[in-house]
């Protein structure tokens, strides 16, 4: 057991898999000698060498295309897209190539790769470098999508993603890189598609992801202390596969659902979860399911503005309280 | 018709380095493509081909010349105009026509359709219908070969119009910098869908005139002469296998039919098609065989056997059932299923 | 009044606006001399000339980028992306450029343009040429998104889109091009952001879009005839702005909500509408809100398969009936 | 340091076609950039610059030379490394620093941030932070000029690393085919973020060696000499205004600081920075002025007045309030609001 940062967990997670399997290769912009623009891959180049850890030109389509071709023919590539916003410049691979080739070929082709990318706000970078875009991937059939919230999950889910035979988009949260957490020694391998109840509770279910998990937990603490409201917090962790069992089970117990999303309002994963619950557990619900999101706007750069648009523990607590009391 | 500035002569000098066996193979491949594509067109007129289809009538020499030079293990990456390349790698006519007719005997049992022909066992690693997408993918397959020390080559076919999309540029640069064993083959058939390529480029040759931007040799060949194509392919493959990096080859050719099934190709200037038909690759090659002493009989025998293969395939496809509905939900994910939830 | 096809309505809609305003220009692949790959713009080149109706290279990023630069500096471009699936190759403009420049510049820059594109299934084209991707746009703050279901709406919404000062993504449905409808003579100008109740009813609300509208109507007829169930059908028409008033109003009357989407299941506009209704009109609901969608798979090419995966009138009717009877 | 293969000489031959007034302007612009960028760095060290920032220290001559040749109405399209170009068009130091400090007096009142500097009234039509995105956008603005018969030119600045992304290729081809009045300016500062450009291209010059792929002249100039830049810009603008189409200009230069605020630039080989500092554009230009007989006094006066402007701006920014929160929900849509529903 040791306390390490989310940033170091990325390196450790990749290193664990590269050490295990010589077919795991890693490519991206400035990822090798420089160790990545978030310094989340420092040392991999030295440890695994120039053939397995490769810097690329600024050519995101080439990066993802190359990863796909390599995956199709036997390697297990991990490709970095520096900021998740840049998925837009290589979205054809995400939307039309990775997720469709197995199906279109009637199972002849495979695409076992991982795209890891820095997602989310909090760095005052403005509208083109701060987005939470996990929905851009969740809505595409054929992809798997994960977004860990702790160093331990980073390692375990990275291992699961690398070992998975399908394309996995792996969202790391920029504002969590400096966060720390306890991590067991030795190999860690998690499974995709399992949510975690990170705080049990009986009055309401709060589903959160990535940076929103610590915020939901903080809100839950306050609700308990200030108002005696006992929330269950679910770290969704994996959007596809989605652990609907855990979520539906929790709502069955609490009778209320809240989702806390960093992404803008329309068509987010929160809407998906709300829709599933509203359809399949309608009679379990004691009141309206409520989404807490960033408003439907591009993200402002200034700290003072960025801080108020993302869901905060305050806003979460306030929304839950108001809704339960309504 | 731009006279191709050949790097390699055709058969003019009676240079018989290719040999009769290979020549007969190249001929056969071209006839298989010709007959199958013609049949696809007939079946379309009978309303038996569903969805879209993009024929390579007139472009047979490119597919045959490259496939003839490829070894087992070499990989083809094709476009929606991929029937020819798929057949050239040895996939049966029945499986190709079956897919066009969206029958259960199709190469992907109707799940992919004519634009996505794939036969992993023949090295046909997919046909891609988003312009340019497969160029980077071919780079990735070549990267694997380089990384593992495998000696196979990835060959990526695309059209003239594809040279203007971003992915073309990214792939060429990437392949050149990493010195990947990939061969990019531009089939310049003078048109995109309905617009001539010359209207949308500021240089005469869409691919060849860009090779230098990637530090590559300018290669522009007669794509209607299978011998020229074959020799060019061999050189490029040898270079790739020797670790010397990618090649970009522009093959001048022409499609005899419209862009896709629905296109009567009225945008062609009068007489253009006729001019090109004089340089019909199958006709050229038939002459070539005769020049090298192949008997009319032998040629006719190939023609007949191909015809029979195509006839048999047609019958088999007509008789084949449609795909069963239960495969709709297979192979979305690797576990065989489609479940996105537990 | 005349009956014209949806295809001809596209031409007429564009022509109406080009005739009105010399700043309206039109560009795309094969749109000029050839009249478009769906023949939906035949004659515009002849009518408005080579300077206003322009063929482009196969360079979707250049097409959208050029449209944006022109829009920013005074023109009103209409750009065609031949198939909506190809939005993936120029998604940066859709996701990061068009919708953010006004905001990031604090209102200094504008982006009044229309991207029109052929969306949806039914042509047996397979997974990369048949998608319904209106959600790819709906989820992006700063865009407006419309999808007409009738020739009249094509013209009216096209006019509204061209005159709108914001970027509008205009989804034409491939399988509707041949459909016909009555269209009044003279100029037609609609408004963005208004849904239409195309069939009043009292037992359930069915929200549908584009090709799903005639199917929902057919299902409603059958439900009425076969089971005496009286459905209200709402043609959503505009996803952004979204006419939540009409939808919430309808649900308030009927007590039940169904959405019929062509796009794959996860994070669709149906989920958004369900979530809004579940949150804001929870106590109006007499039973679970239900989404009817294409399953979460890439689209198969074969006719027999394509036909069963899209929501059909049968499936819609069956789902509504089963749900109302539950 | 690659010796730039100049098309146009600097001031060596005492060619005074530029004239003293313009030279003083070019000098002043460079000093404004130098002082403002240096100040931005100091403010960052004091924790007063928020978010990221990308300085152009060492690259001042490119911004000054182009802006000096631009007329009112000409449009600039910049990257995240856009402070220099924004200042060069006449935007006040206060507004730029205010945006970096995310204050209400910032150019976009903090809504955009340092990577998106925009001043429509000065023709700065945005700074773009997705590599390559603005090249097609600049084409569009140029298309409008062509369509309307306006005589303005769109000028698009980007880095060496940007030449490998798809949008670069699409824009260059598009501009060349449509003969658009757009000038593409590649500031080759030898590095992308932390990786040298030479590691990721198969040719020596990322932009110049690709000009021929678009039928354009190869233009590679000394980007540290504002006179060279200015003369080259003038020629390209004249060509654009005459309807002769786009130009692609590669300017060799060097950034003295790291890629962005957090980068200590340890990846530079020893001595490289020192070599380039010998060719510091501000130093070169100060010498140039002297060569042409400008008095030390006059130079010192400019230095002092710029320093004062930057000091005053700094104080104003420090004193400025943060933006009010109610602007968060303005200008998502043209009606001023953010409503996506009724
Ligand atoms: C990204 C993208 N844009 C547009 C299309 C539509 N499209 C299909 S084929 C084609 C023309 C391609 O021309 P070319 O590359 O010359 O190939 P050819 O069809 O002549 O073999 C176009 C524009 C597409 N499939 N993908
Ligand atoms: C599409 C995209 N990929 C990657 C990045 C991250 N990034 C920002 S600046 C940069 C380096 C750009 O290098 P260059 O074009 O030489 O410009 P310079 O920073 O040297 O001025 C990179 C990779 C980005 N912003 N957009
Ligand atoms: Mg072509
Ligand atoms: Mg650079």
């Amino acid at each position: 057991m040791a306390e390490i940062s989310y940033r170091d967990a990325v390196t450790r997670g990749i290193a664990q898999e590269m050490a295990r399997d010589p077919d795991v290769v890693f490519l991206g912009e400035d990822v090798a000698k420089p160790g990545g623009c978030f310094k989340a891959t420092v040392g991999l180049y030295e440890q695994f060498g120039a053939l397995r850890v490769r810097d690329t030109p600024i050519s995101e389509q080439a990066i993802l295309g190359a990863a796909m071709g390599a995956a199709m023919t036997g390697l297990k590539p991990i490709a970095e897209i520096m900021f998740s916003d840049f998925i837009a410049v290589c979205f054809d691979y995400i939307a039309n190539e990775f997720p469709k080739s197995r199906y279109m070929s009637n199972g002849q082709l495979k695409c076992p790769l991982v795209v890891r990318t820095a997602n989310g706000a909090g760095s005052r970078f403005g509208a083109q470098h701060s987005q939470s875009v996990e929905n851009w991937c969740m809505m595409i059939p054929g992809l798997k999508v994960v977004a860990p919230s702790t160093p331990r999950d980073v390692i375990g889910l990275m291992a699961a993603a690398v070992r998975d035979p399908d394309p996995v988009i792996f969202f790391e949260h920029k504002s969590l890189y400096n966060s720390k957490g306890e991590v067991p020694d030795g190999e860690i391998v998690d499974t995709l598609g399992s949510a975690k109840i990170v705080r049990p509770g009986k009055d309401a279910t709060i589903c959160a992801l990535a940076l929103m998990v610590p915020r939901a937990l903080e809100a839950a603490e306050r609700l308990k202390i200030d108002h005696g409201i006992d929330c269950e917090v679910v770290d969704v962790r994996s959007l596809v596969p989605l652990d609907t069992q855990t979520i539906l089970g929790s709502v069955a117990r609490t009778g209320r659902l809240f989702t806390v999303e960093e992404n803008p309002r329309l068509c987010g994963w929160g809407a998906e979860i709300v829709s599933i619950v509203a359809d399949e557990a309608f009679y379990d619900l004691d009141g309206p399911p409520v989404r807490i999101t960033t408003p439907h706007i591009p993200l402002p750069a200034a700290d003072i503005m960025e801080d108020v648009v993302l869901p905060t523990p305050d806003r979460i607590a306030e929304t839950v309280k108001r809704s339960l009391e309504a | 018709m731009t006279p191709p500035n050949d790097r390699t002569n055709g058969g003019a000098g009676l240079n018989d380095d290719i040999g009769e066996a290979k020549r007969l193979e190249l001929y056969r491949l071209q006839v298989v493509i010709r007959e199958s594509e013609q049949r696809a067109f007939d079946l379309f007129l009978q309303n038996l081909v569903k969805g879209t289809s993009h024929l390579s009538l007139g472009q047979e020499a490119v597919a045959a010349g490259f496939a003839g030079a490829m070894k087992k293990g070499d990989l083809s990456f094709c476009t929606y105009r991929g029937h020819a390349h798929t057949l050239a790698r040895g996939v049966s006519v029945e499986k190709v026509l079956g897919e066009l007719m969206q029958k259960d005997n199709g190469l992907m049992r109707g799940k992919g359709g004519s634009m996505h022909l794939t036969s992993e066992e023949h090295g046909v690693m997919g046909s891609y219908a988003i312009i340019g997408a497969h160029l980077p993918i071919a780079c990735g397959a070549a990267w694997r070969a380089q990384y593992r020390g495998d000696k196979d080559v990835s060959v990526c076919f695309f059209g003239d119009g594809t040279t203007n999309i971003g992915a073309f540029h990214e792939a060429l640069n990437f392949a050149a910098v990493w010195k990947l064993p990939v061969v990019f083959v531009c089939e310049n058939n003078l048109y995109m869908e309905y617009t001539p390529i010359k209207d949308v480029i500021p240089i005469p040759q869409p691919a060849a005139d860009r090779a230098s931007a990637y530090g590559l040799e300018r290669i522009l060949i007669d794509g209607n002469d299978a011998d020229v194509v074959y020799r060019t392919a061999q050189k490029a493959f040898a270079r790739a296998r020797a670790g010397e990096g990618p090649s970009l080859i522009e093959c001048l050719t022409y499609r005899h039919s419209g862009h896709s099934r629905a296109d009567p190709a009225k945008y062609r200037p009068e007489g253009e098609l006729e001019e090109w038909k004089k340089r019909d690759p199958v006709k050229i090659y038939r002459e070539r065989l005769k020049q090298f002493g192949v008997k009319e009989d032998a040629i006719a025998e190939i023609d007949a056997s191909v015809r029979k293969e195509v006839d048999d395939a047609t019958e088999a496809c007509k008789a084949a059932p449609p795909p069963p509905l239960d495969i709709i939900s297979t192979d979305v994910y690797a576990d065989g299923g489609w479940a996105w939830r537990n």
Side-chain angles (χ1 to χ4, degrees), chain A, chain B:
Chain A
M1 210 65 161
E3 202 186 56
I4 69 168
S5 72
Y6 188 98
R7 166 180 288 111
D8 291 340
V10 174
T11 320
R12 184 167 142 192
I14 298 173
Q16 172 184 302
E17 294 307 296
M18 293 191 79
R20 181 185 58 80
D21 181 351
D23 283 336
V24 178
V25 287
F26 177 41
L27 82 168
E29 293 160 16
D30 303 293
V31 299
K33 289 182 221 170
C37 114
F38 294 100
K39 301 282 167 243
T41 58
V42 172
L44 293 175
Y45 175 78
E46 288 71 20
Q47 191 178 348
F48 298 103
L51 285 180
R52 296 182 67 189
V53 181
R54 300 194 69 163
D55 286 326
T56 69
I58 305 175
S59 304
E60 279 80 3
Q61 296 193 76
I63 294 170
L64 293 197
M68 179 172 173
M72 202 178 251
T73 53
L75 300 187
K76 296 282 239 157
I78 303 173
E80 173 176 313
I81 296 297
M82 197 186 275
F83 285 72
S84 64
D85 316 66
F86 310 161
I87 284 178
V89 302
C90 47
F91 194 57
D92 185 49
Y93 293 91
I94 301 282
N96 289 328
E97 314 299 339
F98 298 167
K100 295 183 168 56
S101 75
R102 179 183 293 273
Y103 190 80
M104 296 192 307
S105 69
N106 192 35
Q108 295 180 75
L109 299 178
K110 58 186 175 179
C111 190
L113 57 78
V114 178
V115 177
R116 50 173 290 269
T117 188
N119 197 42
S123 307
R124 292 76 171 90
F125 287 163
Q128 294 186 334
H129 277 69
S130 308
Q131 294 169 88
S132 277
V133 306
E134 59 278 3
N135 301 316
W136 298 6
C137 299
M138 184 181 185
M139 63 177 180
I140 307 290
L143 296 178
K144 293 180 176 168
V145 183
V146 295
S149 73
T150 66
R152 191 205 157 104
D153 282 359
V154 166
I155 302 172
L157 291 173
M158 178 66 76
V162 171
R163 297 175 195 198
D164 197 86
D166 292 311
V168 181
I169 317 299
F170 192 93
F171 288 97
E172 297 163 18
H173 201 293
K174 284 187 216 66
S175 290
L176 288 173
Y177 280 130
N178 286 332
S179 68
K180 299 206 159 181
E182 289 289 329
V183 164
D185 300 328
E187 190 181 78
I188 310 180
V189 188
D190 211 323
T191 45
L192 302 184
S194 69
K196 247 188 210 164
I197 296 177
V198 288
R199 184 192 194 284
K202 57 181 190 1
D203 297 331
T205 298
I206 305 179
C207 290
L209 193 77
L211 181 65
M212 295 298 111
V213 175
R215 295 189 178 194
L217 283 170
E218 195 181 324
E221 283 312 308
R222 289 198 209 165
L223 283 162
K224 180 76 194 172
I225 292 166
D226 297 347
H227 307 286
I229 298 173
D230 185 22
C231 293
E232 180 145 305
V233 178
V234 178
D235 181 348
V236 178
R237 302 201 317 153
S238 170
L239 293 173
V240 184
L242 184 66
D243 183 355
T244 50
Q245 260 169 30
T246 297
I247 296 165
L248 290 165
S250 176
V251 174
R253 285 189 302 276
T254 65
R256 291 303 297 268
L257 172 68
F258 298 86
T259 60
V260 188
E261 287 172 278
E262 183 173 333
N263 42 270
R265 187 151 193 93
L266 299 188
C267 300
W269 58 260
E272 184 58 40
I273 289 177
V274 164
S275 299
I276 291 168
V277 169
D279 180 356
E280 302 176 27
F282 186 73
Y283 299 103
D284 288 338
L285 286 169
D286 301 326
V290 176
R291 291 175 299 158
I292 300 159
T293 72
T294 296
H296 207 60
I297 58 170
L299 284 170
D303 48 0
I304 186 170
M305 294 194 263
E306 191 179 41
D307 284 341
V308 305
V309 296
L310 302 199
T312 56
D314 269 353
R315 175 144 67 97
I316 300 166
E318 186 54 34
T319 308
V320 172
K321 175 174 160 282
R322 218 181 329 110
S323 186
L324 290 190
E325 286 172 354
Chain B
M1 172 167 50
T2 328
N5 163 14
D6 291 354
R7 294 169 66 243
T8 32
N9 66 326
L14 285 192
N15 171 356
D16 199 17
D17 57 325
I18 292 177
E20 182 165 310
K22 181 56 72 178
R23 278 226 169 74
L24 291 176
E25 179 193 334
L26 294 179
Y27 178 69
R28 187 176 211 286
L29 290 177
Q30 292 180 80
V31 178
V32 168
I33 298 167
R34 172 64 51 95
E35 292 294 329
S36 302
E37 293 287 61
Q38 192 56 57
R39 183 60 49 88
F41 188 73
D42 296 344
L43 290 166
F44 156 58
L45 292 179
Q46 294 164 48
N47 232 344
L48 293 172
V49 163
K50 318 257 186 70
T52 184
S53 63
H54 302 78
L55 307 179
S56 287
L57 290 169
Q59 303 184 202
E60 295 87 350
V62 178
F66 274 93
M70 287 167 85
K71 303 209 168 113
K72 197 171 152 56
D74 290 340
L75 304 175
S76 306
F77 293 82
C78 316
T79 69
Y80 51 89
R81 195 179 306 289
H83 317 167
H85 297 291
T86 302
L87 290 164
R89 294 303 305 278
V91 174
S92 78
V93 177
E94 179 186 332
K95 283 194 175 302
V96 170
L97 289 182
E99 191 66 25
L100 270 61
M101 295 166 73
Q102 306 191 336
K103 293 295 188 81
D104 196 35
N105 65 343
L107 201 46
M108 299 90 71
R109 303 181 72 188
K111 273 169 91 168
S114 80
M115 297 202 283
H116 301 291
L117 299 179
T118 305
S119 184
E120 203 262 341
E121 62 171 310
H122 296 89
V124 182
M125 301 303 284
S127 297
Y128 298 80
I130 308 283
I131 293 291
H134 60 318
L135 281 76
I137 298 172
C139 290
W143 173 31
R144 179 266 325 155
Q146 180 188 66
Y147 177 73
R148 290 225 178 126
D150 297 340
K151 282 294 163 211
D152 56 289
V153 176
S154 293
V155 187
C156 183
F157 302 97
F158 53 89
D160 44 281
T162 303
T163 59
N164 296 322
I165 200 149
F168 167 86
H169 182 65
E170 295 195 10
L172 266 289
N173 184 64
F174 191 89
V177 175
W178 286 26
K179 280 186 165 280
L180 296 175
V182 54
V183 176
F184 297 102
V185 181
C186 176
E187 299 187 64
N188 182 353
N189 60 10
L190 310 194
Y191 291 89
M192 305 187 292
E193 292 207 352
Y194 319 126
T195 302
I197 184 67
K198 68 175 166 44
D199 289 0
V200 298
I201 50 172
I203 42 170
Q205 300 308 138
D209 287 341
R210 279 151 173 177
S212 70
Y214 312 106
L216 300 176
E217 189 190 348
R218 183 179 195 278
I219 306 179
L220 177 64
I221 65 167
D222 179 356
N224 278 14
D225 185 327
D227 281 359
V228 171
V229 174
Y230 175 72
R231 289 198 184 100
T232 309
Q234 279 190 313
K235 279 191 209 165
F237 295 173
R239 176 181 148 89
R241 289 192 230 277
E244 290 160 24
S247 300
L248 172 62
I249 299 169
E250 180 172 335
C251 306
L252 278 175
T253 184
Y254 194 79
R255 61 168 153 74
H256 292 173
S257 54
H259 166 72
S260 62
R261 51 181 277 171
D263 170 27
K266 296 227 173 97
Y267 43 81
R268 295 199 275 227
E270 187 131 2
E272 187 180 78
L273 175 61
E274 292 63 37
E275 267 312 300
W276 276 94
K277 280 204 165 164
K278 292 185 194 151
R279 305 200 57 261
D280 179 330
V282 175
K283 206 170 79 182
I284 288 175
Y285 216 75
R286 211 174 270 140
E287 289 312 309
R288 179 75 39 80
L289 291 182
K290 290 187 202 155
Q291 229 181 334
F292 280 98
V294 177
K295 296 268 148 45
E296 295 265 6
D297 277 7
I299 297 175
E301 199 183 302
I302 291 176
D303 291 350
S305 92
V306 168
R307 179 66 59 97
K308 178 162 177 353
E309 186 183 344
V310 173
D311 285 341
D312 290 351
T314 307
E315 290 320 305
C317 290
K318 284 182 178 165
L325 293 181
D326 59 4
I327 65 169
I328 287 176
S329 50
T330 61
D331 289 317
V332 178
Y333 293 105
D335 62 9
W338 62 343
W340 52 269
R341 63 185 286 182
N342 64 12

